[in-house]
């Protein structure tokens, strides 16, 4: 299947019919023009900016950036405010991020191969690790290093090796890492990951501002810590996990306290065996996906989901406590047979987002659920067919709530449009 139904975010910087066709649009009152542009998704805005110089100045202006930031934030903390990002690397020269935009209910194609080119040798095996704001982080397996793409600046660069030295893509575990734009709205970021080193949990942090790494050994959460409610902007990372058993590392905001670690336990009735439970960790929550095997004439063992439970902590150092279960009628909507399944869990501004991606006989299926803590409400976000899902060469996925807020620090100069 071709990608003709994807909405392209391509950089055609040569004169385009689009720029002349926009003439009547430029005659509209500025308030109306703002209203129209505010309804566009980020890839559409970047495309308009690349083909229409008069609109480029408007879109890059501080006033418009501030309005768009407010509009994307006020689209609520609902599930629609987030992006689901998948990396496809087939063929290698056409490596692209596929982004699903909740508010418009559409997929966009975000080409990154041209930006990656100068920083990555041809034929390099890339894996997409995380995204935040305009920064997309990849692991390069051949050179065993990290590469970051800044989408708004259209630039890529390699990161220095972490204190653990060069590592291949298999060393990076999704539940144990996090990319954070810091300060918010800038193109600077922090990349954090937790790892067991000689059976001791460590927190490693890279800061783009200084281009340096820091490491801290985590200390066991003491008796006193168990009564402290976690700070809303603290960071949870899973340093190691095997089914229901995990080592959780918590880092409080600021740099004064050392990170702490603890081994939270699930209630006995929901720990389950490895065969019928999938545990997905992220941002201080855990989703337990319960499944049961079904009889099918094929030799492959096929299962269906029977329930999804969300767990969290009341306090740092505490055990897992049940937060909410997905209602049965929602589960019925995505009870498709699957052979293998993996998941991704992220929380921002009081909304927990769970993505389950599964495969059955070569066909991929994708389920996106969100839980609004304040409303105590689950939603199943319909994701339309994402194209070429039959033979998808997927190499990493991420959820980003800050992609709708990406802007270059200054308007691009005409000479930079290469």
């Amino acid at each position: 299947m071709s990608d003709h139904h994807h909405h392209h975010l391509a950089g055609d910087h040569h004169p385009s019919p689009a720029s002349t066709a926009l003439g009547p649009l430029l005659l509209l009152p500025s308030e109306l023009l703002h209203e129209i542009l505010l309804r566009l998704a980020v890839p559409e805005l970047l495309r308009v900016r690349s083909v229409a110089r008069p609109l480029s100045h408007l879109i890059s202006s501080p006033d418009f950036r501030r309005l768009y930031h407010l509009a994307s934030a006020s689209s609520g903390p609902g599930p629609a405010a987030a992006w689901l990002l998948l990396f496809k690397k087939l063929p290698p020269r056409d490596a692209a991020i596929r982004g699903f935009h909740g508010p418009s209910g559409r997929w966009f194609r975000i080409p990154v191969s041209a930006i990656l080119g100068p920083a990555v040798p041809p034929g390099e095996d890339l894996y997409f690790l995380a995204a935040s704001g305009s920064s997309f982080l990849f692991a390069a397996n051949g050179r065993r290093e990290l590469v970051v793409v800044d989408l708004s600046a259209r630039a890529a660069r390699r990161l220095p090796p972490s204190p653990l030295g060069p590592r291949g893509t298999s060393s990076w575990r999704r539940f144990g890492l996090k990319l954070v734009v810091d300060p918010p709205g800038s193109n600077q970021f922090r990349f954090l990951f937790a790892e067991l080193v000689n059976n001791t949990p460590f927190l490693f942090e890279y800061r783009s501002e200084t281009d340096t790494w820091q490491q801290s050994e985590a200390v066991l959460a003491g008796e006193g810590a168990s009564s402290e409610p976690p700070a809303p902007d603290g960071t949870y990372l899973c340093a190691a996990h095997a089914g229901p058993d995990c080592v959780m590392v918590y880092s409080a905001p600021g740099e004064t306290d050392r990170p702490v670690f603890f081994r939270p336990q699930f209630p006995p009735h929901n720990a389950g065996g490895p065969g019928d439970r999938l545990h997905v960790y992220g941002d201080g929550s855990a989703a337990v996906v319960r499944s049961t095997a079904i009889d099918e004439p094929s030799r492959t063992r096929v299962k269906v989901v029977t329930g999804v439970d969300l767990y969290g902590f009341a306090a740092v150092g505490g055990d897992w406590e049940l937060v909410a279960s997905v209602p049965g009628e929602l589960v019925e909507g995505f009870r498709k047979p699957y052979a293998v399944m993996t998941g991704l869990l992220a929380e921002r501004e009081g909304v927990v987002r769970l993505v389950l991606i599964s495969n059955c006989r070569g066909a991929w299926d994708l389920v996106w659920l969100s839980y609004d803590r304040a409303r105590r409400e689950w939603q199943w976000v319909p994701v339309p067919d994402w194209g070429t899902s039959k033979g998808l060469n997927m190499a990493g996925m991420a959820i980003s709530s800050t992609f709708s807020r990406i802007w270059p620090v200054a308007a691009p100069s005409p000479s930079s449009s290469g």
Side-chain angles (χ1 to χ4, degrees):
M1 188 187 297
S2 75
D3 269 336
H4 66 273
H5 63 290
H6 283 277
H7 302 266
H8 286 246
L9 189 168
D12 0 355
H13 296 287
H14 51 77
S16 154
S19 55
T20 51
L22 286 167
L25 192 64
L26 299 174
L27 299 175
L28 292 173
S30 61
E31 294 84 359
L32 191 53
L33 194 55
H34 268 99
E35 186 63 32
I36 292 168
L37 293 173
L38 287 173
R39 293 172 185 268
L40 298 181
V42 165
E44 294 169 312
L45 276 175
L46 294 180
R47 179 144 173 78
V48 166
R49 197 184 69 184
S50 74
V51 299
R53 191 161 295 163
L55 288 181
S56 169
H57 292 295
L58 169 62
I59 290 170
S60 299
S61 71
D63 283 350
F64 182 81
R65 282 154 54 183
R66 184 176 50 80
L67 280 171
Y68 194 86
H69 181 94
L70 290 170
S72 67
S74 68
S75 63
W83 284 78
L84 171 63
L85 302 162
L86 305 174
F87 179 52
K88 286 179 69 172
K89 55 175 185 179
L90 192 70
R93 285 183 197 163
D94 192 30
I97 300 279
R98 297 296 194 281
F100 175 69
H101 181 235
S104 62
R106 290 179 295 160
W107 285 96
F108 291 87
R109 182 176 176 278
I110 306 163
V112 289
S113 53
I115 306 175
L116 278 164
V120 174
E124 176 59 274
D125 181 24
L126 287 174
Y127 193 84
F128 175 44
L129 292 178
S132 186
S134 63
S135 298
F136 289 65
L137 188 70
F138 294 85
N141 201 35
R143 296 175 68 124
R144 291 156 54 86
E145 60 188 7
L146 295 170
V147 178
V148 67
V149 166
D150 184 338
L151 198 64
S152 62
R154 294 188 60 80
R157 63 184 179 84
R158 301 196 292 271
L159 271 57
S162 81
L164 294 182
R167 23 186 20 217
T169 52
S170 59
S171 301
W172 298 105
R173 291 169 305 94
R174 184 181 295 126
F175 302 151
L177 53 85
K178 192 170 181 66
L179 190 69
V180 185
V181 171
D182 189 13
S186 73
N187 59 355
Q188 302 291 347
F189 64 88
R190 293 184 298 130
F191 172 55
L192 303 98
F193 74 95
E195 196 80 39
L196 289 184
V197 180
N198 298 328
N199 222 27
T200 302
F202 275 79
L203 179 68
F204 300 91
E205 180 176 340
Y206 169 82
R207 287 180 176 269
S208 66
E209 197 173 7
T210 55
D211 196 29
T212 55
W213 288 90
Q214 289 180 321
Q215 67 181 54
S216 352
E217 181 180 338
V219 294
L220 185 64
E223 294 300 317
S226 60
S227 61
E228 294 175 21
D233 49 353
T235 302
Y236 285 98
L237 296 169
C238 181
H241 69 92
D245 300 316
C246 77
V247 177
M248 194 63 66
V249 172
Y250 171 76
S251 174
E255 300 179 18
T256 49
D257 298 331
R258 284 179 67 180
V260 299
F261 76 93
F262 54 106
R263 296 182 174 88
Q265 301 294 306
F266 283 96
H269 66 279
N270 224 332
D276 57 358
R277 300 279 193 279
L278 169 71
H279 294 80
V280 183
Y281 300 97
D283 289 342
S285 295
V288 179
V289 183
R290 293 175 276 121
S291 299
T292 187
I294 56 171
D295 290 326
E296 282 225 337
S298 72
R299 273 181 271 178
T300 319
R301 185 170 182 266
V302 175
K303 296 180 274 190
V304 292
V305 173
T306 55
V308 181
D309 303 314
L310 180 67
Y311 288 84
F313 304 117
V316 175
D319 284 331
W320 293 112
E321 297 178 13
L322 183 65
V323 174
S325 298
V326 176
E329 61 269 22
L330 274 191
V331 176
E332 284 299 319
F334 57 83
R335 271 176 61 96
K336 290 185 180 176
Y338 75 91
V340 290
M341 178 181 283
T342 184
L344 185 61
L345 188 64
E347 178 172 358
R348 186 175 173 86
E349 294 166 359
V351 178
V352 180
R353 297 178 174 93
L354 171 67
V355 173
L356 300 174
I357 195 161
S358 60
N359 191 292
C360 189
R361 297 188 196 90
W364 293 86
D365 189 48
L366 199 153
V367 173
W368 185 356
L369 298 165
S370 76
Y371 180 70
D372 187 315
R373 289 187 182 273
R375 298 176 186 163
R376 299 186 178 181
E377 184 179 87
W378 284 97
Q379 274 192 312
W380 175 25
V381 183
V383 180
D385 175 47
W386 31 318
T388 59
S389 54
K390 186 77 177 171
L392 175 66
N393 188 9
M394 191 186 72
M397 62 176 174
I399 298 170
S400 176
S401 307
T402 51
F403 182 47
S404 290
R405 304 172 192 181
I406 73 166
W407 294 113
V409 177
S413 64
S415 62
S416 69
S417 56

